[in-house]
Amino acid sequence: MPIVVRIDVELAKRKMSVAEFAERVGITPANVAVLKNGRAKAVRFSTLEAMCRVLDCQPGDLLEWVDD
């Protein structure tokens, strides 16, 4: 998949656990895992907004396009 989700990098920078992140964003830890592992087919803008708010970052910090 040419879109790479970099949540793990942003969580590591902030020393934030997946459980804390999931709770603050309002999604389940299982859904965070789906995003982190690249198995998500879509991300709602409201979820992306919440992730950016919690991590104080831009969408481009979480999503990266990689040429195959």
Side-chain angles (χ1 to χ4, degrees):
M1 175 183 254
I3 301 294
V4 177
V5 181
R6 300 175 48 88
I7 293 173
D8 53 346
V9 173
E10 297 302 318
L11 290 177
K13 285 181 185 177
R14 290 155 181 83
K15 296 182 169 84
M16 185 181 296
S17 71
V18 168
E20 179 185 356
F21 176 69
E23 183 178 329
R24 291 179 61 186
V25 171
I27 60 177
T28 66
N31 282 339
V32 175
V34 168
L35 288 166
K36 282 178 50 175
N37 296 327
R39 295 189 317 255
K41 299 292 182 193
V43 179
R44 292 177 187 228
F45 280 150
S46 59
T47 302
L48 183 58
E49 178 185 353
M51 292 190 300
C52 289
R53 186 175 359 89
V54 167
L55 295 173
D56 190 29
C57 67
Q58 294 295 312
D61 297 326
L62 299 176
L63 304 172
E64 178 184 9
W65 177 76
V66 178
D67 194 7
D68 280 341

